Amino acid sequence: MGNNQQPVLLAAEKLRKFYGEVRAANDISLEIAQGQVLTLVGANGAGKSTFLNLLTGLVKPDRGEIRLLGKRITGLAPEQRAKMGIVKTFQLEHVFGDMTVFDHVRTACLSAAGKHYSMFKDISTETEINGQTEQLLELFDLARVSQSLVKNLGHGFKKVIDIATSFAMKPKILLVDEPTSGVGEEEKYHIMELMMNQIRANNLAAIIVEHDLNLVKDLSNETIVMHEGEFIARGAPGDVFGQDKVVEVLVGRGF
Amino acid sequence: MGANTRTGRMMPSYIDDRLIATIVLTAIAAVIPLFVSEYVRTLIQRCLLWIPPTFGVYIIYSLLRQVHFAQSIFIGLGSYIAAFLAGKYFVTSELLILLPLSLIVSIGVAYVLGIFIMRRTGFYFAIMGIAVTMAFWSLVYKMRQITGGSDGISDIKNPSLFGIQLGDQGLYYVSLVVSLGLILLMRRILHSPFSLQLRAISGDLQKAESIGIPVNGMRRLAFIVAGANAGVAGVLLAFSYNYVGPTTFAWEFGAHFVQAAIIGGVNYFVGPIVGAFVFVGLEFLVSTWFPNLWEVVIGVIVAVIVVTVGEEGVTGIVKDLFGRTLKRANLEERTYSDGK
Amino acid sequence: MFSMGLRYILNALPVVSYVILLSFSYSFLLYICGRVSLTFAGIYLVGAYATVSLSIALMGNSLSFAGFMGILLLASLLGAAMLVASYLCFERFLKTDVHRMVATSSLLLVFRGLVKVVWGTTPVTYSAPFLELGVSEIAGNIVPNYYLFMLGLALLLMLALAYFLNRTSWGMRFRASSLDGDRTMAQACGVNQNLVTLMTFAISGVLAGLAGGLYAPIAGAAYGSEANALLLAALSVIIGGVGSIGGAVLAAFIVGIVRAVAAIKMPVLELAVPFIIASVTLMLRPFGIWGKEFRY
């Protein structure tokens, strides 16, 4: 299953997170190697977002371990994990609305270079950073809107900006939470294509949460079905979606 | 698209018109004491000294979207350092010692306080800021033997610079230079990678965390920058008022800087400068005729500004009024275009 | 040792009582309407001055307890009227928390300034209720009855509010609109949001005005005391947690008693101590001792 020859990049071991009675993550374990792309499907409230948030550190687990390249990172803050290469894009709109697209991506480039506290340097003299930013904007087809304010752009644009900003962090593993939710059919494929091209070109690991099962089949040859905080099936999308228990879990949302 | 693009609300570019305006205004400020009475000169000096603390509020407001009520602490620290060293326990009145000392003390205090009050944002930060000013106020008020209690310390002699005793006019020019220097420094800071990332934090906290921005550390540094400005101005304010009392620490004094920043308009870099002049000018004008009413008048003005134009302030109103004229002169276009 | 502790507690009762009322006035607005407003401290100040002035004007230096209660009622209603008016004319136009904090702090300065214009800066006092209610003895300590009356009234009001919020159908409408509930959903179910907001402001005004009036016979109505009130009440909300009645009472006791002890043992730290408690609380329990996690 998957790229077993590659060393394990990120490992989650028996992660548990309960919200009162609700089991958002019930002893989940997962290993993912470099270049491996997984998709994660499941009904609303199955714990998909919680799982991604556990990996990024936005949610603290009740128990369990997370390791990046063998190093324990369970207690680290989100910003430290982001620095180490675990970067997440958001399901809902999480963008810096008052910035231009250029500044939006540049912020992440600066952060990746560790230039947080550089107060007395004019930002226009950061030629290396500005070059990187422009390159990224080219790659994600954003150069033509680089001077627009993010809040004035459409939903699809904001998604692409979010993804481009995540790539500026030079991630090792990308956690993508429903990249196409709320986006029209046509834009959906465009966004996915832009993203997948970059994931493959950089040989990144990725976990993608997606509702559109047709899209899931195109994205990756390995998918995981989640239900009530547990992984109930794992394998090639074609096989997995045929299983009875999977149909039962997913059918609720009009599969 | 040039590599050094820097468009955006709070990032004006180095434009000739602005440079010219700066030089003209500075020149006016430099020659005006030769023509006006001593009283007016002191008033202008106070306006100049109000600029740095107001800039502190401005930085916290425009970059972090927080209300900084605690500037009076740093003004107070700077003022009492001046009052102790140059007044009560006469040690030295050398500005080259007083100013750096106040800077260091302000940075140190801001660092420690930042740990406590920058932990949370929104009303938590505002209230904790007010609480700290009150704590300092009661401390100074009650340590009567050292601070003189409610009587404060008066009779602070003019300072010296490079060992040369400064006259009142000399103090004015020192204030002008310090204030101008701090304005230029703030301008540099607002164009820095640091402030871009601060804007990210106020834009969307979760996203900022997810791209590795150390939120708490950066907020604290912004707080330190704001405090350092006020600390430096505090030293000169003590000499300017020739009196220091516990009211320097009072929460309403800190709130006045917030009011000044709002009056000026926090959407504009010149906002704090305009705000400082308008606030001190208004305070002077109103209290000349109605001594008890100036706080009411300014309070009402601030409340009306917040409701009607929000962050635009007087600067925005003036810009709107004269915007058309400027546009005809084709200045408007360049304001928001590329530096290159 | 125990009796010393008891004496501190008894001496702190007036502060505790008025902080209970005032902090809940602030936290109630925050909890039900999600609105930050510092105006309450101005209402407190006006309430204190109104009580003292009315009492002196109507009763001179004598005391009719029923009359005093009537005046307290008037002061509370004045507070409610002022806060509702401030909401209708002004605060409802404020869209963000930052705007609210800036504008209401300015409004507080306006209230302060007006008090200065009307009453001047010299404190006015009317201490007849405090002096003439007599004293009781509790475990060897002499306590003015007025202290007990204040605490009793404050606790009674809190109990009434708790009953109102948790047991009545109107209270349910309030809670449905609060940070705990869902405003849009409440509106969809036919809860009149404007009415709830207005009533919240009115209740908050009653509490603030009453706090000022109740404390005035002990401390007098003093220009500048609003800063103390603002500080103690707002810090109590941070300590106790937003929207929690139990938290408000508990935090008021903590703040009041510790402050009273500090005022005697280490006077210079009198106002620093509440701040330190609040800092520690924020570190251990970011949402207050009794608070729930809100978006703030």
Side-chain angles (χ1 to χ4, degrees):
Chain A
M1 193 190 293
N3 312 15
N4 281 334
Q5 66 277 20
Q6 292 269 13
V8 174
L9 179 66
L10 183 75
E13 237 170 67
K14 300 209 162 171
L15 283 181
R16 171 179 285 189
K17 179 75 192 175
F18 290 176
Y19 292 104
E21 292 290 297
V22 182
R23 297 174 174 198
N26 194 0
D27 297 343
I28 318 179
S29 300
L30 180 74
E31 287 185 349
I32 187 163
Q34 197 186 352
Q36 194 178 1
V37 176
L38 288 174
T39 49
L40 196 57
V41 298
N44 284 330
K48 304 180 302 265
S49 292
T50 306
F51 179 58
L52 294 193
N53 284 339
L54 282 167
L55 294 182
T56 54
L58 286 170
V59 172
K60 290 199 167 46
D62 297 340
R63 67 178 205 210
E65 291 276 333
I66 304 166
R67 269 190 276 276
L68 184 70
L69 291 169
K71 222 179 119 197
R72 190 173 169 276
I73 58 164
T74 319
L76 295 186
E79 63 251 31
Q80 287 168 306
R81 297 193 202 190
K83 281 273 169 65
M84 298 171 81
I86 306 176
V87 181
K88 186 190 149 181
T89 73
F90 290 87
Q91 177 184 3
L92 302 168
E93 266 179 23
H94 280 283
V95 286
F96 315 132
D98 283 336
M99 286 189 192
T100 61
V101 176
F102 188 84
D103 278 343
H104 197 289
V105 176
R106 176 155 69 174
T107 311
C109 290
L110 286 166
S111 174
K115 303 194 176 197
H116 306 296
Y117 300 106
S118 119
M119 272 201 290
F120 303 114
K121 198 154 190 257
D122 196 303
I123 201 164
S124 62
T125 60
E126 298 273 5
T127 33
E128 198 182 319
I129 300 283
N130 294 334
Q132 278 173 21
T133 311
E134 269 174 49
Q135 229 171 358
L136 270 166
L137 292 180
E138 282 303 330
L139 285 177
F140 285 91
D141 204 12
L142 289 169
R144 66 210 149 91
V145 291
S146 88
Q147 291 310 310
S148 314
L149 285 183
V150 173
K151 65 179 170 196
N152 297 338
L153 295 172
H155 194 64
F157 264 119
K158 286 180 185 157
K159 290 274 178 187
V160 179
I161 291 165
D162 190 354
I163 294 166
T165 310
S166 303
F167 269 92
M169 290 303 295
K170 305 197 179 71
K172 292 191 178 73
I173 174 164
L174 203 61
L175 309 173
V176 191
D177 200 349
E178 296 194 33
T180 61
S181 73
V183 177
E185 277 299 314
E186 234 163 83
E187 249 182 327
K188 209 174 196 173
Y189 284 92
H190 177 63
I191 293 173
M192 274 299 183
E193 201 184 311
L194 278 174
M195 187 178 74
M196 291 312 293
N197 282 343
Q198 289 310 311
I199 289 177
R200 289 195 194 102
N202 294 301
N203 196 27
L204 299 184
I207 302 177
I208 305 172
V209 173
E210 178 55 58
H211 267 169
D212 186 335
L213 297 185
N214 292 321
L215 212 50
V216 167
K217 285 175 189 161
D218 299 342
L219 284 175
S220 153
N221 53 12
E222 192 172 1
T223 193
I224 296 176
V225 183
M226 222 176 154
H227 180 60
E228 290 185 351
E230 284 175 52
F231 294 159
I232 58 164
R234 178 171 181 172
D239 304 339
V240 167
F241 296 154
Q243 292 175 20
D244 287 347
K245 56 180 178 183
V246 173
V247 174
E248 199 175 298
V249 168
L250 295 179
V251 86
R253 25 173 313 273
F255 171 52
Chain B
M1 203 52 63
N4 31 6
T5 319
R6 42 150 156 249
T7 321
R9 190 159 41 79
M10 274 153 316
M11 304 231 159
S13 41
Y14 294 109
I15 319 179
D16 311 343
D17 320 329
R18 297 197 169 199
L19 194 63
I20 291 167
T22 313
I23 291 170
V24 169
L25 286 174
T26 314
I28 292 175
V31 296
I32 212 163
L34 305 175
F35 301 105
V36 297
S37 69
E38 199 176 324
Y39 193 79
V40 177
R41 189 192 60 214
T42 319
L43 204 65
I44 299 176
Q45 183 181 328
R46 261 170 221 173
C47 294
L48 290 172
L49 291 177
W50 267 61
I51 294 173
T54 314
F55 255 108
V57 174
Y58 164 82
I59 283 186
I60 303 283
Y61 195 117
S62 70
L63 299 178
L64 283 172
R65 296 279 138 183
Q66 305 293 327
V67 192
H68 185 4
F69 282 115
Q71 280 296 52
S72 56
I73 296 170
F74 305 102
I75 298 269
L77 285 173
S79 297
Y80 270 94
I81 286 175
F84 282 151
L85 294 187
K88 195 172 179 193
Y89 312 99
F90 188 85
V91 181
T92 175
S93 63
E94 175 61 52
L95 281 178
L96 288 180
I97 297 173
L98 291 177
L99 291 177
L101 182 65
S102 167
L103 185 69
I104 293 166
V105 170
S106 302
I107 290 176
V109 171
Y111 179 82
V112 176
L113 287 181
I115 297 173
F116 299 108
I117 77 176
M118 264 291 178
R119 273 186 102 73
R120 298 286 307 279
T121 54
F123 86 85
Y124 286 95
F125 170 65
I127 295 292
M128 293 297 266
I130 292 178
V132 174
T133 65
M134 296 285 299
F136 271 88
W137 176 84
S138 84
L139 202 72
V140 171
Y141 189 81
K142 290 188 176 147
M143 286 166 77
R144 189 169 286 276
Q145 287 86 3
I146 305 173
T147 60
S150 57
D151 298 336
I153 300 167
S154 49
D155 193 24
I156 307 166
K157 306 246 164 23
N158 267 4
S160 54
L161 186 67
F162 297 112
I164 304 162
Q165 182 70 31
L166 290 175
D168 287 349
Q169 205 145 7
L171 191 59
Y172 174 87
Y173 284 111
V174 169
S175 306
L176 179 63
V177 169
V178 166
S179 159
L180 202 66
L182 285 175
I183 292 173
L184 293 176
L185 194 66
M186 286 309 110
R187 189 181 156 77
R188 177 39 79 81
I189 288 179
L190 284 168
H191 284 111
S192 70
F194 170 67
S195 59
L196 185 64
Q197 289 172 81
L198 284 183
R199 284 171 62 201
I201 293 174
S202 63
D204 190 301
L205 185 61
Q206 279 191 321
K207 182 70 186 163
E209 277 180 342
S210 82
I211 58 170
I213 294 176
V215 174
N216 283 328
M218 296 198 65
R219 274 183 187 150
R220 216 175 298 154
L221 188 57
F223 187 70
I224 290 172
V225 170
N229 267 306
V232 169
V235 172
L236 294 169
L237 271 171
F239 289 117
S240 170
Y241 284 105
N242 203 8
Y243 163 79
V244 177
T247 44
T248 320
F249 282 104
W251 82 270
E252 62 264 21
F253 192 50
H256 289 160
F257 293 106
V258 176
Q259 293 186 316
I262 293 292
I263 290 178
V266 275
N267 276 355
Y268 301 93
F269 182 78
V270 291
I273 304 173
V274 175
F277 273 87
V278 173
F279 188 99
V280 177
L282 264 178
E283 178 186 346
F284 167 71
L285 284 178
V286 179
S287 54
T288 309
W289 289 296
F290 310 103
N292 282 334
L293 227 52
W294 70 269
E295 246 180 350
V296 177
V297 172
I298 289 182
V300 170
I301 289 175
V302 171
V304 170
I305 282 182
V306 171
V307 170
T308 51
V309 293
E311 277 90 19
E312 291 285 302
V314 171
T315 316
I317 297 172
V318 171
K319 191 170 153 264
D320 273 359
L321 286 179
F322 298 101
R324 238 165 277 147
T325 337
L326 281 172
K327 204 156 202 165
R328 213 174 298 134
N330 200 17
L331 294 173
E332 179 86 340
E333 304 303 327
R334 269 191 281 166
T335 310
Y336 282 100
S337 69
D338 258 347
K340 292 233 161 174
Chain C
M1 195 61 222
F2 170 75
S3 77
M4 274 298 280
L6 187 65
R7 197 183 312 157
Y8 282 128
I9 293 175
L10 293 174
N11 280 332
L13 286 185
V15 174
V16 169
S17 327
Y18 99 82
V19 170
I20 289 177
L21 293 171
L22 205 54
S23 72
F24 200 69
S25 151
Y26 171 69
S27 117
F28 195 51
L29 270 186
L30 202 55
Y31 174 63
I32 304 285
C33 304
R35 279 173 173 274
V36 184
S37 170
L38 306 183
T39 327
F40 73 92
I43 307 285
Y44 162 86
L45 190 62
V46 175
Y49 270 102
T51 308
V52 173
S53 301
L54 278 175
S55 303
I56 292 174
L58 298 178
M59 301 188 286
N61 271 327
S62 64
L63 169 78
S64 126
F65 196 69
F68 182 67
M69 290 299 282
I71 286 166
L72 277 186
L73 187 67
L74 275 180
S76 326
L77 292 180
L78 178 70
M82 279 170 64
L83 206 54
V84 168
S86 130
Y87 169 72
L88 286 178
C89 310
F90 178 63
E91 286 188 36
R92 69 193 165 114
F93 301 113
L94 301 169
K95 297 294 177 231
T96 65
D97 282 348
V98 178
H99 282 183
R100 285 174 198 141
M101 282 185 289
V102 171
T104 57
S105 67
S106 288
L107 206 59
L108 172 54
L109 291 179
V110 170
F111 274 123
R112 221 174 88 97
L114 289 175
V115 164
K116 192 174 171 181
V117 172
V118 178
W119 283 286
T121 51
T122 340
V124 287
T125 49
Y126 173 73
S127 40
F130 169 54
L131 296 175
E132 290 179 25
L133 267 186
V135 292
S136 313
E137 201 181 301
I138 296 178
N141 292 291
I142 307 275
V143 194
N145 283 336
Y146 190 76
Y147 285 15
L148 302 175
F149 162 69
M150 261 183 97
L151 183 70
L153 193 59
L155 290 180
L156 200 70
L157 267 173
M158 286 299 114
L159 278 178
L161 262 174
Y163 179 82
F164 169 72
L165 282 179
N166 294 318
R167 293 274 188 274
T168 64
S169 70
W170 261 102
M172 207 158 79
R173 287 178 213 187
F174 273 68
R175 279 188 300 133
S177 323
S178 73
L179 293 181
D180 268 342
D182 184 333
R183 212 143 234 270
T184 12
M185 190 63 104
Q187 195 148 26
C189 296
V191 178
N192 185 340
Q193 287 303 318
N194 290 332
L195 196 58
V196 167
T197 307
L198 271 180
M199 284 177 66
T200 312
F201 268 84
I203 293 173
S204 177
V206 165
L207 293 176
L210 185 64
L214 264 181
Y215 193 47
I218 297 176
Y223 172 79
S225 66
E226 83 290 338
N228 246 322
L230 171 69
L231 171 87
L232 293 180
L235 284 185
S236 296
V237 174
I238 291 180
I239 295 168
V242 173
S244 149
I245 292 178
V249 175
L250 184 69
F253 268 101
I254 295 176
V255 166
I257 291 168
V258 173
R259 191 183 147 280
V261 173
I264 293 164
K265 299 274 180 197
M266 294 173 292
V268 288
L269 291 183
E270 187 186 335
L271 291 181
V273 161
F275 167 73
I276 294 167
I277 299 173
S279 301
V280 173
T281 313
L282 280 184
M283 277 178 198
L284 302 178
R285 291 188 62 93
F287 294 93
I289 296 174
W290 219 307
K292 271 172 264 171
E293 193 163 329
F294 294 124
R295 69 193 161 88
Y296 284 105

